[in-house]
């Protein structure tokens, strides 16, 4: 198949899509990606990509075309300029594409509008478009402080409904997305569940064996509004005199500075900034437990953050302050402890419970890896995606 992939984010930005595209290329498919100039999550254009440099390149067998955009920097206005500048430039780019692709694959993170170029190409050339929904819109706006019922929210409700209904098939990372799409947005196109997987490097993390303090608890990923990393800082503050607990925040995002301010004076919290995927193995090896947190919101709780599969593949105990699908997954897999979202006191209590019985962290880690191997393998993901794309071509 000749596959046109649309996504605002691509390597060197920290997302899983490059691994998917390269795997499809290894399976013999021709893969072309239309993406934006890399600037996530810091909001500044990456060195070496300024002024249109490297706008076209081949990365591990994948053709990559980078469209200009306004870097996101900070603030809601800049973020929406970033979003819509990519929509404009990517739509302009696909209008000029001469290559005849068999199918369009949209890897839909935030914003949902990034799908527009793929939908336009599919409609213009009579092709099918498969949309992989990782961030549920318009609910993802809540994480950015935009309240349901507001004029902005109502506007993007209409935009989201239009885009989801324009796709030919929707794949979702969480089963909870399907009833929301169908009942709240009136989506009538076929929807099916396709959970994420973790990069293979996490399979090589040694099993957890540490039974002695200090114990290292690691959060890895975007430090944004939705992630409620402040909850981890609150737990660290409660445990500041318990020298067994050390907290590591690995990542960057719009809430990082606020979290650093909140953590001032705490000797048990270290901020490591954003690291390349290849470096993450060292942090996972060090970890006794991995932290996953999310804001309190019924629809956001439907999301299973991609970091969860990485945590499980690494064979580490999960400690969550999160509800919904992720809490249910942790319970089903018996791979850790979970408390209510935004409850720093309960999170501190759960961490103390694990430090009092460190053998539990080892058992939970074993359960996590076993569950991952049974339900979240990369090859199963690729088989399902490839089959869906082939069916769309017919």
């Amino acid at each position: 198949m000749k596959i046109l992939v649309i996504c605002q984010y691509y390597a060197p930005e920290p997302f899983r899509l490059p691994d998917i595209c390269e795997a499809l290329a290894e399976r013999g498919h021709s893969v072309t990606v239309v993406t934006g100039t890399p600037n996530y999550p810091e909001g500044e254009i990456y060195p070496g990509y300024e002024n249109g440099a490297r706008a076209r390149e081949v990365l591990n067998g994948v053709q990559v075309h980078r469209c200009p955009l306004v870097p996101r920097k900070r603030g809601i206005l800049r973020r929406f300029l970033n979003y819509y500048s990519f929509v404009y430039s990517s739509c302009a780019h696909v209008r000029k594409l001469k290559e005849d692709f068999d199918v369009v694959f949209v890897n839909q993170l935030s914003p949902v509008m990034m799908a527009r170029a793929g939908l336009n190409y599919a409609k213009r050339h009579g092709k099918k478009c498969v949309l992989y929904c990782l961030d549920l819109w318009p609910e993802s706006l809540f994480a950015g402080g935009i309240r349901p019922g507001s004029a902005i929210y109502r506007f993007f409700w209409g935009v989201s409904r239009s885009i989801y209904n324009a796709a030919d098939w929707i794949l979702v990372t969480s089963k909870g997305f399907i009833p929301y799409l169908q009942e709240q947005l009136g989506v009538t196109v076929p929807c099916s569940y396709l959970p994420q997987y973790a990069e293979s490097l996490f399979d090589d993390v040694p099993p957890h064996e540490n039974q002695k303090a200090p114990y290292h608890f690691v959060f890895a990923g975007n430090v944004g509004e939705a992630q409620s990393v402040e909850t981890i800082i609150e737990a660290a503050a409660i445990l500041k005199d318990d020298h067994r607990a050390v907290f590591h925040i690995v990542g960057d995002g719009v809430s990082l500075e606020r979290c650093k301010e909140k953590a001032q004076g705490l000797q048990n919290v270290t901020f490591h900034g954003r690291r390349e995927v290849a470096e993450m193995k060292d942090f996972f090896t060090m970890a006794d437990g991995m932290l996953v947190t999310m804001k309190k919101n019924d629809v956001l709780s439907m999301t299973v953050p991609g970091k969860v599969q990485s945590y499980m593949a690494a064979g580490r105990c999960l400690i969550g302050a999160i509800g919904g699908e992720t809490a249910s997954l942790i319970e089903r897999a018996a791979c850790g402890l979970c408390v209510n979202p935004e409850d720093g006191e309960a999170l501190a209590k759960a961490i103390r419970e694990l430090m009092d019985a460190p053998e539990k962290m080892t058992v939970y880690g074993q359960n996590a890896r076993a569950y991952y191997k049974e339900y979240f393998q990369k090859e199963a993901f690729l088989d399902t995606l490839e089959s869906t794309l082939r069916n769309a071509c017919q």
Side-chain angles (χ1 to χ4, degrees):
M1 288 182 291
K2 295 177 71 173
I3 306 168
L4 175 62
V5 179
I6 306 292
C7 184
Q8 185 168 335
Y9 314 105
Y10 201 77
E13 293 168 307
F15 292 95
R16 193 163 288 135
L17 180 59
D19 194 66
I20 296 171
C21 292
E22 290 164 18
L24 289 170
E26 289 173 1
R27 289 186 172 208
H29 304 292
S30 172
V31 182
T32 297
V33 176
V34 174
T35 186
T37 306
N39 71 110
Y40 181 94
E42 290 93 341
E44 301 288 347
I45 301 298
Y46 281 44
Y49 291 89
E50 302 94 338
N51 302 315
R54 299 168 70 179
R56 293 172 181 261
E57 57 184 340
V58 179
L59 298 177
N60 299 318
V62 177
Q63 295 279 346
V64 180
H65 300 269
R66 302 188 188 278
C67 300
L69 46 67
V70 176
R72 59 193 284 134
K73 296 186 183 291
R74 305 290 179 184
I76 290 178
L77 177 59
R78 289 289 305 200
R79 191 175 306 177
F80 279 102
L81 286 172
N82 171 259
Y83 289 169
Y84 273 104
S85 62
F86 175 73
V87 173
Y88 176 82
S89 63
S90 60
C91 286
H93 181 81
V94 300
R95 279 198 301 270
K96 297 182 291 185
L97 286 176
K98 294 182 171 59
E99 195 168 359
D100 185 23
F101 296 95
D102 298 314
V103 65
V104 179
F105 175 60
V106 174
N107 192 69
Q108 183 250 304
L109 295 149
S110 289
V112 70
M113 297 85 75
M114 72 169 64
R116 183 57 67 192
L119 295 169
N120 287 357
Y121 178 91
K123 183 177 181 181
R124 179 187 294 262
H125 295 276
K127 306 299 181 180
K128 301 295 186 182
C129 180
V130 175
L131 186 150
Y132 189 28
C133 178
L134 293 97
D135 286 350
L136 190 61
W137 272 64
E139 290 304 324
S140 291
L141 289 168
F142 173 80
I146 295 174
R147 300 296 174 183
S150 67
I152 295 176
Y153 184 93
R154 291 197 303 272
F155 172 78
F156 283 106
W157 183 93
V159 170
S160 303
R161 185 177 188 275
S162 172
I163 287 174
Y164 287 130
N165 270 305
D168 296 287
W169 195 282
I170 297 176
L171 301 169
V172 297
T173 56
S174 169
K175 292 179 180 178
F177 284 10
I178 296 176
Y180 177 88
L181 289 169
Q182 293 175 340
E183 297 167 13
Q184 300 298 319
L185 292 180
V187 171
T188 57
V189 304
C191 301
S192 57
Y193 173 57
L194 180 59
Q196 297 186 78
Y197 67 91
E199 290 82 352
S200 58
L201 68 93
F202 297 113
D203 293 335
D204 298 327
V205 175
H208 179 263
E209 296 177 348
N210 182 42
Q211 304 294 316
K212 296 181 180 179
Y215 301 108
H216 297 273
F217 300 97
V218 177
F219 172 92
N222 183 41
V223 186
E225 295 286 347
Q227 286 72 33
S228 188
V229 176
E230 294 89 343
T231 304
I232 298 172
I233 308 304
E234 291 170 11
I238 292 169
L239 295 169
K240 64 182 180 180
D241 296 323
D242 189 332
H243 301 295
R244 297 176 299 170
V246 181
F247 295 86
H248 302 269
I249 311 299
V250 187
D252 195 2
V254 296
S255 298
L256 181 62
E257 293 306 315
R258 184 166 69 244
C259 289
K260 285 182 176 180
E261 291 176 9
K262 193 177 182 71
Q264 282 186 358
L266 295 178
Q267 301 301 311
N268 58 348
V269 180
T270 301
F271 294 91
H272 297 273
R274 186 179 70 84
R275 300 300 182 94
E276 298 298 325
V277 172
E279 299 179 76
M280 295 308 298
K281 180 181 174 182
D282 293 336
F283 288 100
F284 281 59
T285 299
M286 170 185 68
D288 296 289
M290 303 298 298
L291 299 162
V292 55
T293 52
M294 188 72 77
K295 264 190 170 183
K296 187 185 301 181
N297 175 267
D298 289 343
V299 180
L300 282 178
S301 70
M302 296 178 189
T303 303
V304 178
K307 64 171 63 69
V308 170
Q309 277 84 0
S310 298
Y311 291 176
M312 296 179 76
R316 287 302 182 266
C317 167
L318 275 71
I319 308 108
I322 189 170
E325 291 290 315
T326 303
S328 298
L329 173 58
I330 292 172
E331 182 178 3
R332 288 197 307 274
C335 65
L337 300 178
C338 203
V339 302
N340 290 330
E342 300 184 51
D343 192 338
E345 185 175 348
L347 181 61
K349 182 178 179 181
I351 290 169
R352 188 177 284 119
E353 177 184 331
L354 291 169
M355 292 191 298
D356 289 341
E359 67 279 0
K360 287 185 178 180
M361 288 189 276
T362 300
V363 173
Y364 285 144
Q366 292 169 347
N367 293 347
R369 180 166 278 174
Y371 195 93
Y372 176 86
K373 288 183 176 180
E374 184 170 357
Y375 294 103
F376 299 131
Q377 287 283 26
K378 177 179 178 177
E379 289 306 310
F381 172 97
L382 291 170
D383 288 345
T384 300
L385 176 59
E386 188 177 40
S387 174
T388 303
L389 293 174
R390 283 193 186 280
N391 289 339
C393 292
Q394 297 174 0

